[in-house]
Amino acid sequence: MIADVAAWIFTLFVVDPLQAEMQKTLERANLPIEALQQSQQCLTMQVPRLIEKAGNEPGWAIATAVGISVGWTPPEQLLDATDPTCGALRGLMGAQSAREAEG
């Protein structure tokens, strides 16, 4: 029961806004088709993994949701750094985070 609630909270406060922000970032970035496809593959693979982890580790889910909400945890850190399909997306998100921190 707690795991389900943690997964729901994680989805509501982290995954949904993160996906919306990633979509906006991808649209603004004017990426080549290949990079756009890789970014979409990254999301397709990573989002279910994150939701599963949130369900299995409620403490991680809550800590991550708070960390992202208050800016302690960069969103790109949620994506698997070893997944080659996430490279372009992680780079864009990192650049976006850096711009937001400056401005």
Side-chain angles (χ1 to χ4, degrees):
M1 179 70 168
I2 292 174
D4 293 336
V5 171
W8 177 77
I9 289 171
F10 185 79
T11 300
L12 183 66
F13 288 103
V14 176
V15 174
D16 290 345
L18 189 60
Q19 281 186 304
E21 185 60 35
M22 285 184 221
Q23 191 63 38
K24 284 185 214 171
T25 300
L26 289 171
E27 289 171 3
R28 285 188 297 228
N30 242 353
L31 291 176
I33 295 295
E34 182 179 327
L36 184 60
Q37 289 172 337
Q38 285 181 343
S39 296
Q40 293 298 335
Q41 288 173 344
C42 171
L43 292 177
T44 300
M45 297 298 293
Q46 297 297 311
V47 168
R49 182 187 65 79
L50 290 170
I51 293 171
E52 181 180 347
K53 184 174 182 175
N56 292 334
E57 300 177 35
W60 173 85
I62 292 168
T64 301
V66 169
I68 289 198
S69 297
V70 299
W72 293 336
T73 304
E76 64 271 14
Q77 204 172 53
L78 293 176
L79 302 175
D80 185 358
T82 63
D83 185 341
T85 65
C86 294
L89 188 55
R90 283 178 57 92
L92 283 172
M93 291 173 67
Q96 178 75 21
S97 294
R99 279 194 300 273
E100 289 173 1
E102 290 174 358

